[in-house]
């Protein structure tokens, strides 16, 4: 009886040890880390695919809607309002290169890249073109 109990204890101990040992293998650790990495990579791929769907870059309208509308929608801080010729014409007269330069590097209260840190130069350009469209 006493011996059987002892074997029982050893059996349980071995089982617990085996499970713990298994959990601590590299494979188990990799297996636990893997889903996080996969999700991250999948997200990056999805972003890349979304960007490709838009011709490699976000459209000017999209960039404007996410990064520029806060100020250029209603003229916050004196920002020229989207599609308002009277606001934009004197600026357009300076030449597109000047507008582009000011949009990328900042100009008075206009923050560099309109605060869009992940916008490419092409996306900033598209956003300006969208704002001055039809002027
Ligand atoms: C925090 C507010 C704010 C945001 C956000 C913002 N702008 Fe502006 N922007 C301004 C202001 C204010 C001016 C006018 C600056 C001046 O003339 O003194 C301006 C001016 C400009 C000009 C004209 C520059 C010139 O030479 O006359 C361009 C082009 C421009 N913004 C592009 C953008 C683009 C593109 C975005 C989004 C990616 C953006 N802005 C986001 C505030 C903002």
């Amino acid at each position: 009886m006493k011996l059987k109990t002892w074997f029982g204890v050893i059996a349980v101990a071995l089982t617990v040890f085996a499970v713990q040992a298994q959990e601590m293998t590299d494979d188990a650790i990799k297996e636990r880390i893997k889903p996080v990495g996969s999700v991250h990579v999948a997200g990056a791929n999805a972003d890349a695919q979304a960007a490709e769907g838009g011709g490699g870059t976000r459209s000017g309208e999209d960039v404007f809607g996410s990064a520029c509308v806060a100020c250029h929608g209603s003229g916050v801080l004196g920002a020229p309002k989207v599609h308002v010729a009277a606001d934009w014409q004197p600026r357009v007269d300076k030449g597109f290169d000047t507008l582009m330069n000011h949009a990328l590097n900042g100009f008075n209260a206009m923050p560099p890249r309109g605060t869009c840190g992940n916008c490419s130069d092409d996306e900033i350009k598209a956003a300006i073109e969208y704002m001055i469209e039809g002027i």
Side-chain angles (χ1 to χ4, degrees), residues 74-129:
S74 57
V76 172
L77 304 168
K81 294 187 282 297
V82 59
H83 296 156
V84 175
D87 286 4
W88 279 104
Q89 196 57 59
R91 297 173 187 272
V92 172
D93 289 346
K94 295 187 289 186
F96 194 84
D97 285 354
T98 305
L99 299 188
M100 187 66 190
N101 182 34
H102 287 164
L104 291 178
N105 302 311
F107 179 57
N108 299 325
M110 165 68 198
R113 292 185 179 275
T115 68
C116 183
N118 67 358
C119 281
S120 68
D121 289 5
D122 279 349
E123 287 169 338
I124 297 287
K125 183 169 179 265
I128 301 172
E129 284 168 351

Side-chain angles (χ1 to χ4, degrees), residues 10-86:
I10 289 172
V12 169
L14 281 176
T15 306
V16 169
F17 181 75
V19 168
Q20 280 179 348
Q22 213 174 29
E23 277 181 2
M24 289 187 299
T25 62
D26 280 359
D27 280 352
I29 291 165
K30 277 184 196 150
E31 203 54 39
R32 282 189 189 178
I33 293 169
K34 201 174 131 193
V36 179
S38 303
V39 168
H40 181 72
V41 170
N45 284 343
D47 282 354
Q49 277 158 14
E52 273 164 27
T57 53
R58 284 169 283 184
S59 73
E61 188 174 1
D62 284 353
V63 174
F64 169 79
S66 61
C68 322
V69 67
C71 297
H72 289 274
S74 57
V76 172
L77 304 168
K81 294 187 282 297
V82 59
H83 296 156
V84 175

